[in-house]
Amino acid sequence: MERLIQGLPVVGGQAWPGVQYFCTTRGGGVGVAPHDTLNLGLRAGDRPEAVAENRRRVRAAVPGEPLWLRQVHSAQVIDADDAAVPDEPAADASVTVRPGRVLAVMAADCLPVAIADEAGTVLGVAHAGWRGLAGGVLENTLNAMRAKAPRAAGWRAWVGPGIGPSAFEVGEDVLRAFADRDAEAAAFFVPRDGVPGKWMADLPGLAALRLRRAGVAHPELSGLCTYADARRFFSYRRDRETGRMALLAWLEPRV
């Protein structure tokens, strides 16, 4: 579902009680090619002043300063409510129980994932590339959320725009990272016709599998492929030098 927030075109999923979340697109910013226009990544090769202006525009659309992460394709989760959390910590997920605390993860083919309980009392976001996904970033995020809100239940998840199964060609190392530990995961890899040693991987399908096992009964997949939709999304696999979108999410004040 695409909509405008403060003039920015964004996409999102179903409405969740007590939670707001959306993923930016490449529209609504000031960047020039190949970072046109709303690049939010400081390390994507863009002009720093353009990224600063784009982040200013995003900040105007959310209730607080986002916790930006220095993403390293890990399974590390940060507690965003910790008073000692540094600026831009090295991690790939964060969690909060504090209304108005804005969480953020960036992506440009990897999966941005939002997770919350049905009552909107605890929230997490995760950056899930294949390494982080295989390493347990989604499970770690849910575990951190359960630790912060032991009574929470009825888990929801939205898997945002990422590279789709028709575009994500991988080698045996990626297949082995999943299938060696999980026979069911092998079903999400299809041998590429005529190319020995290559498979087409369904990253959103793998994320949904792991979310269900971790307790999310019906994870919602956006179905949006960053590689295929060059008009709306950045894609590192497609363009190499490119920008980054961001998933932003926060808990609403409790009434």
Side-chain angles (χ1 to χ4, degrees):
M1 179 177 62
E2 187 166 358
R3 56 197 169 110
L4 285 177
I5 296 182
Q6 294 291 316
L8 299 178
V10 303
V11 295
Q14 298 177 3
W16 294 352
V19 180
Q20 293 291 331
Y21 68 96
F22 61 82
C23 184
T24 63
T25 68
R26 67 185 303 165
V30 300
V32 298
H35 302 95
D36 46 326
T37 61
L38 193 75
N39 168 43
L40 298 168
L42 289 171
R43 298 172 180 83
D46 200 358
R47 296 173 297 127
E49 61 271 23
V51 179
E53 172 59 20
N54 288 340
R55 288 193 173 193
R56 186 197 67 78
R57 294 184 183 197
V58 167
R59 170 64 184 86
V62 297
E65 186 64 34
L67 175 61
W68 300 103
L69 305 177
R70 181 164 59 84
Q71 296 166 194
V72 291
H73 295 277
S74 71
Q76 179 71 28
V77 181
I78 289 291
D79 185 345
D81 302 333
D82 186 343
V85 67
D87 292 336
E88 205 176 19
D92 286 83
S94 59
V95 298
T96 185
V97 294
R98 199 173 88 203
R101 181 53 158 146
V102 181
L103 308 182
V105 287
M106 289 181 290
D109 283 337
C110 296
L111 302 173
V113 182
I115 307 171
D117 67 313
E118 64 182 1
T121 62
V122 61
L123 174 68
V125 299
H127 161 255
W130 74 263
R131 290 180 179 84
L133 194 59
V137 69
L138 298 181
E139 293 90 339
N140 289 357
T141 303
L142 273 157
N143 287 340
M145 294 168 68
R146 290 184 172 107
K148 287 182 72 67
R151 297 182 181 178
W155 298 103
R156 310 169 186 268
W158 181 70
V159 180
I163 194 164
S166 65
F168 192 31
E169 179 189 284
V170 302
E172 189 169 0
D173 57 333
V174 181
L175 172 65
R176 297 272 69 88
F178 291 93
D180 280 357
R181 306 173 193 173
D182 181 358
E184 193 175 352
F188 295 89
F189 294 83
V190 178
R192 182 171 178 186
D193 290 342
V195 186
K198 295 293 183 181
W199 288 262
M200 305 306 294
D202 183 353
L203 198 64
L206 287 163
L209 173 67
R210 298 183 78 116
L211 285 165
R212 285 193 296 270
R213 288 177 173 171
V216 181
H218 302 290
E220 181 185 0
L221 304 183
S222 73
L224 298 171
C225 177
T226 48
Y227 187 98
D229 194 342
R231 180 186 66 84
R232 284 198 293 179
F233 302 119
F234 298 115
S235 168
Y236 180 80
R237 176 67 70 101
R238 183 187 64 230
D239 299 327
R240 294 300 173 181
E241 186 176 2
T242 192
R244 302 292 186 272
M245 291 87 63
L247 168 67
L248 299 113
W250 64 96
L251 297 172
E252 296 178 319
R254 300 185 186 101
V255 178

